[in-house]
Amino acid sequence: MLDIKYIRDNLDEVEQSLAKKGFEFNADVFSQLDEDRKKALTHAQSLQAEKKKASKQIGQLIGQGMSPEEAKAQVMSGLDADITRAEQEAKQVEASLQELLMGIPNVPLAEVPAGADEDDNVEVLKWGTPREFAFEAKDHVDVGAPLGLNFDAGALVAGSRFAVMSGPIARLHRALAQFMLDTHTLEHGYEETYVPYLVNRQALEGTGQLPKFEEDLFKIPQAQGDKDLYLIPTAEVPVTNLLRETVNDADLPIKKVAHTPCFRSEAGSYGRDTRGMIRQHQFDKVELVQFVKAGDSEKTLEELTGHAEAILQKLELPYRKVILCGGDLGFSAAKTYDLEVWLPGQQKYREISSCSTFGDYQARRMQARWRNPETGKPELLHTLNGSGLAVGRTLVAILENYQQEDGSVIVPDALRPYMAGLELISL
C-alpha cells in the first residue's frame, strides 16, 4: 500500500506514475475522501470534547441539588446519539478510504520503461546459444508422453490444466526442486523454509493478491463459520507474511527459500497455453524472498535475479533477461526482471522466473519493520522475491533442450547427482 502522506503531497506525480501501469488514479476522488475523513474525525472529536465539558456541568448541577437523571437529561440532550452517529460516519469514511488505498497499485520506479504489454518489455541480456537440432525438435508434450508425462490422467482425476508425472519424469521433477534448494541454501545463503499451503485473507492482502485478484485464487470455504482459507498462488504469500513484526538491524538481510506447490485459477488466460505444462492450475515453484533496508533494495534485486540466473546457467539452458515495461508490471511490484528460457519446441523464449522489488508497499500492508539502532525507531522493510525457479517450466525446458532424436532425454550434468548418476532418460 502506498503511503497516504506521499499520495497527498504528490498527487500529480502519483497520477503520472500509475498511468505508466495503465492504472487511472482519480486524484479528485482520493482528495475528497481524504478531506471527508478529516472532517468526520474532527467532528467526532469535537463532540467528545463537548461530552467532557458536559460531564463537569452534570456534576455541578448535582451539587446544586438536582437529581443525576435530571442533570444528565438537561446537559446531554441527545449528545450521546450525536457522538455515536459521528463515530459511525468517521468509521465509514475511513473504511472507504482504506478500500481505495488497497486498490491502488504500487508506483513503478523511474527506470521502468513505458509500454502497454509484454511486447514492450526491454531485453537486458541473452545467455547461451540455442541448440541447433539435426532433426525436428518436438515440444515437451510429445517428448514427455512416452517417458511418464500424462495430461489425460490429470484431466481424469482433476480436469484440464493438471498433469500426472510417473517414473523418470517424476524423479527428474523432484531432482530439480532438490537441486534448486541446495544451490540457494548452500551457495546463495538462503534459509530453507517450510510454510502452509493454505493462507488466510489477511496474508493475501499483505502481499497484494487481495482484494483485486480474488478470481485468480482457489478459495476453500470453512465449516462452523470459520474464516475462509485460500490455496497459495505462490510461496511469496506465506513466506513474506512471516515478517509481520519488527526485527532487529543485526538480523538483516533476511533471505528465505521455499519449495511449494502453487495453485492458480488462471481466470484470465482462457484459450492461452492450453497444451502442456506452461500454464497449469497446480505447479511447483522454488521461491526466493528477501527482506532488506530501504537503501539496499536496488542492489538486492540484481543479486536475487542473479541467483535465479545461476540455476539456468548450471543447467546450461539458454535464456534472456528482460525488464518489464509499466503495462506488464505486476500490481504490487515497483520493478521486475523476467527470465525467459529458450524452448525449441515453440521456437521462442518463455518466462521461467519473475524477480521483483516491492519497496515498502507490501511491508506497509503487513507492518513489517526493522528497528533502526541510530534512532531507536521502527522503519518499514523493503521486500523482494523471485522464482528460483518454476520447477515445472524448468522440466519443460530440459525435455525440449536435451531431447534426442530417438526420443530419449539427456540428464544435465548438474542434476545427475540427484538422479543416482543417471545420464539418460529413455524408454
Side-chain angles (χ1 to χ4, degrees):
M1 189 163 60
L2 296 177
D3 182 3
I4 191 170
K5 186 177 184 303
Y6 166 72
I7 299 176
R8 283 191 200 116
D9 296 342
N10 302 277
L11 284 173
D12 290 341
E13 179 184 321
V14 170
E15 188 171 5
Q16 293 169 12
S17 296
L18 290 177
K20 188 186 282 189
K21 273 191 170 184
F23 181 84
E24 186 176 344
F25 172 68
N26 194 321
D28 291 337
V29 171
F30 167 80
S31 296
Q32 186 61 59
L33 266 178
D34 194 29
E35 183 62 27
D36 290 346
R37 170 180 171 270
K38 291 176 185 175
K39 288 180 179 178
L41 287 173
T42 300
H43 181 49
Q45 289 166 358
S46 66
L47 289 174
Q48 287 287 1
E50 284 185 33
K51 185 175 181 178
K52 288 183 179 179
K53 291 180 182 178
S55 296
K56 293 180 181 178
Q57 292 175 9
I58 291 171
Q60 291 171 352
L61 291 173
I62 292 173
Q64 295 170 8
M66 188 178 288
S67 71
E69 291 77 13
E70 290 175 329
K72 187 175 182 181
Q74 178 176 320
V75 174
M76 299 302 283
S77 185
L79 188 57
D80 280 336
D82 290 342
I83 290 173
T84 299
R85 283 194 295 270
E87 289 179 341
Q88 288 176 344
E89 181 185 351
K91 286 180 181 179
Q92 289 172 354
V93 176
E94 179 72 36
S96 296
L97 181 60
Q98 185 70 10
E99 182 180 358
L100 176 68
L101 291 172
M102 291 288 279
I104 299 174
N106 199 0
V107 171
L109 296 180
E111 63 265 30
V112 171
D117 53 36
E118 61 184 18
D119 294 332
D120 297 319
N121 294 338
V122 177
E123 184 178 293
V124 176
L125 64 82
K126 278 183 178 175
W127 186 93
T129 303
R131 172 185 166 192
E132 294 185 7
F133 289 83
F135 56 94
E136 185 176 352
K138 300 177 181 178
D139 72 3
H140 67 282
V141 178
D142 291 334
V143 175
L147 304 175
L149 182 58
N150 192 327
F151 295 98
D152 290 338
L156 178 67
V157 299
S160 62
R161 296 189 188 270
F162 288 94
V164 171
M165 288 175 271
S166 304
I169 293 293
R171 186 175 188 177
L172 183 61
H173 187 267
R174 174 166 54 89
L176 278 167
Q178 290 298 113
F179 161 68
M180 293 174 190
L181 286 171
D182 283 354
T183 300
H184 294 314
T185 55
L186 300 177
E187 298 182 22
H188 300 152
Y190 290 82
E191 178 185 40
E192 185 172 351
T193 308
Y194 177 83
V195 290
Y197 302 159
L198 289 164
V199 292
N200 56 33
R201 186 177 186 88
Q202 184 182 8
L204 288 155
E205 289 175 342
T207 47
Q209 279 79 12
L210 287 178
K212 186 174 179 59
F213 301 106
E214 185 146 7
E215 67 173 4
D216 295 329
L217 303 169
F218 285 106
K219 186 176 182 178
I220 313 297
Q222 300 299 293
Q224 289 85 43
D226 291 339
K227 293 182 179 179
D228 295 332
L229 296 174
Y230 297 79
L231 289 167
I232 59 171
T234 164
E236 166 198 347
V237 178
V239 175
T240 307
N241 275 273
L242 295 176
L243 265 286
R244 287 197 303 217
E245 59 181 358
T246 301
V247 298
N248 294 320
D249 171 63
D251 297 327
L252 298 175
I254 295 173
K255 302 166 66 174
K256 292 182 176 291
V257 59
H259 167 222
T260 68
C262 305
F263 305 90
R264 298 182 185 176
S265 72
E266 297 294 347
S269 65
Y270 181 79
R272 294 178 59 195
D273 297 311
T274 55
R275 177 177 168 85
M277 293 184 68
I278 294 296
R279 201 175 296 277
Q280 296 275 281
H281 288 314
Q282 175 185 314
F283 59 95
D284 279 40
K285 189 150 63 80
V286 172
E287 188 76 3
L288 308 174
V289 178
Q290 290 207 39
F291 306 86
V292 301
K293 303 173 190 176
D296 296 334
S297 58
E298 185 174 344
K299 68 177 182 181
T300 301
L301 177 60
E302 303 298 324
E303 174 193 87
L304 185 147
T305 307
H307 295 156
E309 289 181 75
I311 300 297
L312 289 166
Q313 292 174 10
K314 286 175 179 288
L315 294 173
E316 300 182 77
L317 292 170
Y319 70 92
R320 71 173 193 151
K321 175 181 174 181
V322 300
I323 180 172
L324 299 195
C325 69
D328 200 29
L329 196 60
F331 181 83
S332 300
K335 180 181 178 180
T336 297
Y337 288 118
D338 268 9
L339 302 180
E340 300 177 347
V341 68
W342 175 254
L343 297 182
Q346 295 189 23
Q347 285 292 296
K348 64 171 63 174
Y349 289 95
R350 296 300 305 266
E351 178 199 334
I352 197 168
S353 171
S354 280
C355 300
S356 304
T357 178
F358 304 91
D360 60 13
Y361 186 86
Q362 293 179 328
R364 182 171 288 104
R365 288 173 172 238
M366 299 182 299
Q367 286 302 295
R369 301 178 294 181
W370 68 285
R371 191 170 300 282
N372 189 327
E374 295 181 2
T375 64
K377 296 181 179 179
E379 298 179 13
L380 289 171
L381 289 164
H382 277 206
T383 61
L384 305 96
N385 67 57
S387 311
L389 304 164
V391 180
R393 292 195 180 192
T394 310
L395 177 67
V396 167
I398 289 173
L399 293 178
E400 293 197 12
N401 282 278
Y402 282 90
Q403 63 179 291
Q404 302 300 297
E405 189 170 11
D406 63 0
S408 62
V409 175
I410 295 174
V411 177
D413 290 343
L415 295 179
R416 291 177 185 176
Y418 299 88
M419 297 284 289
L422 186 67
E423 298 180 3
L424 190 72
I425 296 175
S426 57
L427 297 175

